[in-house]
Every structure is written in structure tokens, then in C-alpha cells.
Amino acid sequence: NARGGSILNNNITTTLDNGFGVYSYLNGNKIISNNIVNTTGTSSYGIYVFNLTTKHSYGLKENDIFTAASLIKLPVILTLYQQAESEQMNLDGKYVLREQDKRPGAGSLQYQPAGKTFSYRQLAELMGQQSDNTAFMVLRRILTDVKIQATIDSLGMSKTSLTKNETTPADIGLLFRKLYGGSIVSREHRDEILSFLTKTAFEDRIPAGVPGGVKVAHKIGNEIGVFSDAGIVLTEKPFVLVIMSKNALEREAKEALPAITRAVWEFENK
């Protein structure tokens, strides 16, 4: 999409400070490089940006399929709240933690004693704040894969699969666009979900690329070779930003994601 006129032939090229690659804007609006690469040339990044005020979007490999990792927890949270609004779930209902529920990796719930009770709202908060794997597995079992995938499909996330753990930058961006718009859950629930995704335990990616004090509601994804982040930069001119990766080195990604964010921030606020 060209902003304010026809697409120009000249490119505005920005080199990432970290040296991991180059990407370009066409007319300052369209990311057009083929790739952002590390020194081995094996990593691949997908980027999607949507300005929530102007409705303009642009991206890089935004429709390519990537491993979702913990980004797949987003439709689980959304399904919980939609079920609560249809009175099929009670957010304040209590769940008694079982030993067999516990999952390693992210989150503190695995260290809590079996028999302790948590509300479903607390489980959603743990998924947002800590990317808690135990909370994810509990809610996935209770909500069922069928209902979660139905939520994904109803949003129009046509390339996203819960069971395959796959999605695209554009699909995740679509979820945040619709969440922000307030059409898929109530405004009250939207604000609560966004609060769970703010000031998380993982602030070294998109939040590290915006000026201090700027609020970012986001969700990270981690697996081997996968270091992603996606969310809404909640400034006066808010925008959705999704950055996904594959075959990436952690050291590289931890530099590349904030650098990409800084470049998008500068463009969106120029």
C-alpha cells in the first residue's frame, strides 16, 4: 500500500545496526527485501505491520508459514473470553491444579503445589505475563482443540493451525487487529487481555525497540531456532507489529527484533 500517492521507483534503504541484514522501504512504506539474514545466511524473518489509524499495512514474508510457538496461546486466551461471554465458562471459576498438569519451560505454575486453586482468569494472566506452559495445557484441555481452532477459523486466520503449531505474521496481526477493534470480545475484556500482555516477563524484543514509556501489549514465541514477538504498540498512532523467525540464532534475534522495531517505529512516527 502506498501512502499518499503512487509507489515511487526509488528505494529508501536502511541497514540494521547489528549488521545482520538490510531491508528496504518502497516509498517509505513497503518492506521489500527478500530476507534479513545472519552471518550464516540461514535465518528467515517474517514481518507484518498494520497502522490502526490509517489502516495501511505492509510486510515481509507476512503470508509465509512459521512455527507459532507460544504465539498459539493467543487464540486460547481469546477462546476463553469468548466462552465466558457466551456464559459457557466463568472467568472466576476455580481450577484445582493437578500434578499431571505441570509442564516444564516457561511459567511459574509448574512450581505451585498440586491442590492449589486458580481462577481461569488467573490462568489467562499467567499465559500472558509469563507464557505459562502449564496454564496453556490446562486451558487447552478444558476448552478443547475443536473450539480453539473454531476461534482461529472464525477470525479468518486461514493459515493458522493449533495442532500443527503453525501460523503467519499476517494471521497473528489479524488477531491483534480484531482484538483492538473490540468486535470479538467486549471492550472490558479486550482491555483486560491487553493488560495481561503488557509489562510481561519478556520485554527484550519489541518493547526494547520503542522509546521508554511507550506501552506495548505483546506475546513472544520461543522454540529452537524460533524467536518471535507480536503485539500492539499503544502510542498516539497505535500499530500492530508482528516479527516471526525461523532457523534463527538467539543472539542474532535478540538484536534483530529490537532493530526491526526501531525502524518501524521511526517510519510510523515520522
Side-chain angles (χ1 to χ4, degrees):
N1 298 307
R3 182 176 295 178
S6 61
I7 295 177
L8 304 180
N9 291 325
N10 59 307
N11 295 337
I12 302 170
T13 304
T14 304
T15 304
L16 297 185
D17 293 336
N18 59 26
F20 291 118
V22 176
Y23 64 99
S24 305
Y25 290 106
L26 184 58
N27 195 27
N29 190 49
K30 180 79 175 176
I31 296 175
I32 62 165
S33 71
N34 292 324
N35 209 345
I36 298 171
V37 297
N38 65 6
T39 52
T40 65
T42 60
S43 64
S44 179
Y45 289 81
I47 305 167
Y48 175 81
V49 185
F50 184 88
N51 185 300
L52 290 160
T53 303
T54 66
K55 312 303 181 187
H56 283 101
S57 65
Y58 51 95
L60 164 70
K61 297 188 176 182
E62 65 267 41
N63 294 308
D64 285 9
I65 292 175
F66 289 79
T67 298
S70 286
L71 294 180
I72 207 66
K73 292 170 181 169
L74 289 165
V76 177
I77 295 172
L78 187 56
T79 301
L80 172 65
Y81 277 78
Q82 289 182 329
Q83 291 290 300
E85 291 188 1
S86 63
E87 298 184 347
Q88 297 180 61
M89 290 286 293
N90 178 1
L91 291 172
D92 295 315
K94 300 301 182 183
Y95 180 80
V96 180
L97 183 66
R98 307 176 305 171
E99 197 64 41
Q100 61 263 41
D101 292 330
K102 297 179 181 181
R103 294 294 184 274
S108 62
L109 198 55
Q110 61 182 304
Y111 305 114
Q112 296 296 324
K116 188 170 181 177
T117 60
F118 298 87
S119 71
Y120 294 112
R121 177 179 277 109
Q122 285 177 308
L123 296 179
E125 183 175 13
L126 285 166
M127 285 175 61
Q129 287 284 294
Q130 302 177 12
S131 197
D132 196 290
N133 288 336
T134 299
F136 167 66
M137 292 306 297
V138 167
L139 287 176
R140 179 175 178 177
R141 177 174 55 82
I142 291 170
L143 294 168
T144 75
D145 286 8
V146 171
K147 288 182 180 178
I148 296 165
Q149 188 63 46
T151 297
I152 291 168
D153 296 342
S154 70
L155 290 173
M157 300 169 68
S158 60
K159 292 185 176 182
T160 299
S161 168
L162 173 66
T163 56
K164 292 181 181 178
N165 191 26
E166 292 179 345
T167 191
T168 68
D171 273 7
I172 295 296
L174 180 61
L175 182 150
F176 275 110
R177 286 168 52 187
K178 292 194 171 184
L179 177 61
Y180 183 84
S183 61
I184 53 177
V185 291
S186 69
R187 296 280 173 145
E188 178 185 356
H189 284 155
R190 176 201 68 176
D191 291 347
E192 184 166 271
I193 292 170
L194 292 178
S195 74
F196 293 163
L197 301 175
T198 303
K199 294 183 179 178
T200 71
F202 311 96
E203 297 292 283
D204 57 350
R205 301 178 195 185
I206 289 176
V210 299
V214 174
K215 186 177 175 181
V216 181
H218 68 112
K219 182 77 192 68
I220 62 100
N222 275 358
E223 280 192 20
I224 295 174
V226 175
F227 304 95
S228 303
D229 201 359
I232 306 172
V233 179
L234 295 161
T235 182
E236 288 184 5
K237 296 186 287 185
F239 60 91
V240 171
L241 174 59
V242 182
I243 310 172
M244 301 188 69
S245 68
K246 62 179 70 172
N247 301 320
L249 301 175
E250 183 172 9
R251 176 184 60 85
E252 165 209 332
K254 291 295 181 69
E255 294 183 26
L257 269 67
I260 294 166
T261 302
R262 278 192 294 273
V264 173
W265 168 270
E266 288 169 5
F267 171 65
E268 290 296 329
N269 288 276
K270 68 180 183 179

